[in-house]
Amino acid sequence: MKNLIALTPVLLMIAACGEDKSGFAIPDRRSADLVYSYPYDGQQEIAPKAPIVLRFSDRLTLEDESSVQGAITLVSADEPGVALGYAVNFVDDGRGLVLEPDEPLATGTTYQLTFDGVVTARGETQLPGDGQIDFSTRAALEGSRQARVLDEAFVLTRRIPDGETYPVMDFSSFRLTFSQPVERESIRYGAGMTDTLVLRDDTGEVVEASVLVKGRSVTVDPVVDLHADVSYTLSLTDGIASIYGDAFSGADFDLAPRSSAPRETLVQRVGNSAGGSILSPLTGQPINSVPVTATLLGNETSSQQQGNAFAELAFVPNYPVVSPLVIRRGQLLEGSDVDLLVAGAVPAGVNSGTLSVTFISDAVGFLLPNQYSVREDSPRHVRLFMDVAMTAEDSRANGGLSQDILHVEVAGTAIVRNGLLEINAVGVVEPDLLGVENAFGVLSFAMQAYADQLAAPEAAVDLDGPVLQSWVPGNEAEGNVAKQSPDNPVILNFNEPLDPASVALPGAITVSRDGITLADDVLSYYLDGSAVVMEFDGGLQFNSDYVITLSPLVTDLVGNGLQTGNALPGDYRLSLRLPEYIDEQD
């Protein structure tokens, strides 16, 4: 009985996805289909450098780049009569195409991909609807206001889950994307009279939640799952502001979570590419390897990610059309090391050590019907929304590489091959490197379920608390006198991401100046990756002694307290002093 219960979700998915022992080609098809695209039709927030990935049910008979360019046209909605150039790569024995635009796409722009005469070995490809794919790019990550906003009004542009395409579940976390970069300090969650963002139940009680803010992205991740028999309201007030001073108009969203019970955990192996020999059928690139294009790292750098993903599936019989799943925060994928380079070529003498990717909120995904093919044997589509933190093992590299990357979306296919559920997906990450440049990497994500779920690996138990690796300006101090501009923040770099709720606890982190504890309106801080960034209103003061006290109340994502190096749990103190100010006019 236990075996049957454990295997039920997998068996149901086999029925839903079809059985494919030879790939995506189905011998008895009467016509060919487009079965997958990245971006998918209607996708938002696409990186301007992202490739266009197309997957067909059968091998294409288009033989060269010019024949593809004659059959597939890419245009901007701003200039619909101007076809954009692109290079073509054939992948997986001609069943797939990867189109690389000659120039990065414009930010904040809608594009259309149209098809005319895409012929396969089974005939011309059948396309749904109006026969085109529409998608839109994200706003610029830096530059002028005009480049960084999607709308002159400060509004919400996306909400996941939306209660329509993506159902609200008891395990949902809520991802909000705004049209303009959000002023971080304007997001105050459940802070009483001054709160600007809060999730409440039907009795008015505030739901304890972790809140992540970066750029135009905000995530509200309830600490404990919601109740399916309770109504909730997510409220955003006009106190939320953009970095340009524009005020949000306010909004209330009524939420009625659906029950996911009884859930089963499906353990998926995120494998390595065996030295680059195992390729994604979607991109033709090594699986789970993130190639990163950046001056600091060079254009040939990649990190190989691997580990296990423990996906909790909503009870599939209750969700035969759209099947939700969750991957809990705190799960970890470990990656291979990379060398930092000067100007992309000269070794800087710094190796990252293991590059870890940690889920810092509950990642929520959905198995959806194939939006391009109506056949029951076509692969299902998968979308996974996640917030992750990147952390480097080496303390020197970690200080520059560690960061949060919010609202990462991977989109792919799910199909059963030889009785095992396989997921292949594509996503893009754009990490900020040392505050100097935004890197770019395409993730060819791949997971496969273990054949025997009852004998699958169990989740590793993390019993080690976070450790302070380094801090700035502490590492630069000479004789306890900091060599730092008073306007610069103090940055504490840890070896793993911290729990935001623990850092916000009274007494978790305190700062005193000349023996007097600083009030909250003088000191503010936020988390980014494994770093705590502390900012002082008016800057640090000259000729003053500061003491930063870290207590074991500071924990990692699974609740382990800060390791202070003491025999017993206790506080950890850091001291710094700015030199005496000398007016050059005196």
Side-chain angles (χ1 to χ4, degrees):
M1 183 65 178
K2 182 178 179 182
N3 287 1
L4 179 61
I5 293 174
L7 291 175
T8 293
V10 179
L11 294 174
L12 287 166
M13 285 186 183
I14 289 174
C17 300
E19 178 81 32
D20 178 12
K21 297 183 179 180
S22 60
F24 283 99
I26 307 297
D28 60 353
R29 282 185 172 171
R30 290 172 294 177
S31 63
D33 285 333
L34 173 72
V35 296
Y36 167 83
S37 74
Y38 180 90
Y40 57 79
D41 188 30
Q43 188 168 0
Q44 300 172 273
E45 300 293 325
I46 294 299
K49 294 182 180 179
I52 295 170
V53 179
L54 303 171
R55 176 76 185 188
F56 300 90
S57 60
D58 297 88
R59 186 178 184 277
L60 295 167
T61 57
L62 302 175
E63 296 180 352
D64 53 29
E65 186 170 84
S66 62
S67 61
V68 172
Q69 292 169 343
I72 302 175
T73 304
L74 174 65
V75 299
S76 164
D78 295 338
E79 297 181 285
V82 180
L84 302 178
Y86 56 80
V88 179
N89 292 312
F90 292 86
V91 300
D92 200 27
D93 194 31
R95 286 194 179 96
L97 294 174
V98 177
L99 314 182
E100 300 275 359
D102 294 343
E103 300 290 339
L105 302 179
T107 56
T109 303
T110 298
Y111 288 87
Q112 288 92 36
L113 200 66
T114 60
F115 302 82
D116 183 14
V118 180
V119 182
T120 74
R122 198 169 296 278
E124 186 167 347
T125 300
Q126 303 297 307
L127 296 168
D130 57 7
Q132 73 178 32
I133 293 171
D134 299 325
F135 63 91
S136 58
T137 53
R138 61 158 173 77
L141 301 178
E142 55 189 5
S144 66
R145 172 192 168 109
Q146 182 179 9
R148 297 189 66 186
V149 305
L150 288 180
D151 195 308
E152 282 303 313
F154 185 38
V155 296
L156 271 177
T157 58
R158 186 173 69 169
R159 179 169 60 95
I160 304 294
D162 56 9
E164 297 177 0
T165 303
Y166 309 114
V168 178
M169 302 299 298
D170 49 11
F171 53 55
S172 287
S173 49
F174 302 94
R175 291 172 173 83
L176 310 171
T177 306
F178 290 83
S179 59
Q180 302 178 15
V182 178
E183 176 58 51
R184 190 188 302 269
E185 292 186 10
S186 74
I187 299 293
R188 298 182 295 275
Y189 182 83
M193 295 294 292
T194 63
D195 61 28
T196 60
L197 174 65
V198 64
L199 178 63
R200 299 181 186 274
D201 63 20
D202 52 10
T203 68
E205 289 294 316
V206 176
V207 175
E208 184 180 359
S210 173
V211 179
L212 307 173
V213 184
K214 193 167 187 178
R216 297 187 297 112
S217 303
V218 175
T219 295
V220 179
D221 183 21
V223 173
V224 178
D225 284 354
L226 305 178
H227 296 283
D229 57 350
V230 174
S231 297
Y232 296 83
T233 302
L234 180 64
S235 297
L236 294 77
T237 77
D238 57 9
I240 298 175
S242 77
I243 63 173
Y244 303 111
D246 294 350
F248 184 67
S249 60
D252 290 326
F253 299 103
D254 295 327
L255 308 173
R258 300 181 61 182
S259 174
S260 59
R263 293 195 296 265
E264 284 291 345
T265 298
L266 183 66
V267 187
Q268 298 271 115
R269 182 173 65 88
V270 181
N272 65 45
S273 63
S277 63
I278 302 176
L279 305 180
S280 165
L282 302 180
T283 66
Q285 297 300 311
I287 63 168
N288 301 321
S289 179
V290 187
V292 178
T293 301
T295 301
L296 185 66
L297 299 176
N299 294 333
E300 303 299 327
T301 298
S302 65
S303 178
Q304 176 73 68
Q305 300 293 311
Q306 60 184 349
N308 294 307
F310 298 81
E312 297 177 34
L313 305 171
F315 189 50
V316 177
N318 291 342
Y319 301 94
V321 179
V322 176
S323 306
L325 61 92
V326 61
I327 299 176
R328 298 296 185 177
R329 79 167 184 166
Q331 293 195 36
L332 176 72
L333 298 177
E334 292 190 341
S336 58
D337 59 340
V338 298
D339 290 319
L340 274 62
L341 306 174
V342 177
V346 181
V350 177
N351 181 276
S352 68
T354 299
L355 270 178
S356 298
V357 173
T358 305
F359 292 83
I360 56 176
S361 68
D362 287 348
V364 177
F366 304 89
L367 288 168
L368 302 124
N370 192 306
Q371 68 183 117
Y372 301 136
S373 174
V374 298
R375 290 177 174 79
E376 293 182 356
D377 53 9
S378 64
R380 297 190 74 180
H381 285 178
V382 178
R383 293 170 197 164
L384 179 66
F385 301 89
M386 55 189 174
D387 305 306
V388 299
M390 184 170 68
T391 310
E393 181 181 18
D394 182 89
S395 61
R396 296 167 298 173
N398 196 40
L401 298 179
S402 181
Q403 62 197 277
D404 291 344
I405 307 177
L406 303 189
H407 295 194
V408 176
E409 179 181 1
V410 295
T413 60
I415 198 164
V416 174
R417 194 189 307 275
N418 298 326
L420 300 179
L421 178 67
E422 289 187 3
I423 292 176
N424 285 285
V426 179
V428 168
V429 291
E430 297 179 285
D432 179 2
L433 298 184
L434 295 177
V436 175
E437 62 175 327
N438 289 301
F440 171 80
V442 178
L443 172 61
S444 300
F445 193 59
M447 297 192 300
Q448 184 183 67
Y450 284 91
D452 185 352
Q453 286 291 305
L454 296 180
E458 296 183 357
V461 179
D462 180 6
L463 300 176
D464 296 326
V467 174
L468 181 69
Q469 282 187 327
S470 63
W471 67 294
V472 178
N475 292 352
E476 302 291 331
E478 292 182 5
N480 203 39
V481 178
K483 299 168 64 177
Q484 152 156 331
S485 168
D487 296 330
N488 289 347
V490 172
I491 303 174
L492 312 178
N493 295 307
F494 295 84
N495 67 327
E496 61 176 319
L498 304 179
D499 180 1
S502 75
V503 174
L505 290 172
I509 300 178
T510 57
V511 181
S512 66
R513 186 180 74 218
D514 297 329
I516 300 175
T517 301
L518 297 181
D520 291 341
D521 59 352
V522 178
L523 170 69
S524 63
Y525 47 81
Y526 63 89
L527 298 179
D528 194 9
S530 61
V532 176
V533 182
M534 311 176 70
E535 297 179 323
F536 296 79
D537 186 25
L540 295 168
Q541 302 300 305
F542 287 102
N543 200 31
S544 295
D545 291 298
Y546 290 85
V547 176
I548 301 170
T549 303
L550 310 175
S551 86
L553 291 173
V554 175
T555 71
D556 61 17
L557 293 170
V558 296
N560 297 311
L562 175 70
Q563 296 186 45
T564 62
N566 301 331
L568 297 173
D571 295 340
Y572 193 94
R573 291 179 174 84
L574 308 170
S575 300
L576 70 95
R577 176 182 176 84
L578 261 64
E580 182 177 354
Y581 178 75
I582 300 176
D583 191 338
E584 295 181 354
Q585 297 179 355
D586 292 344

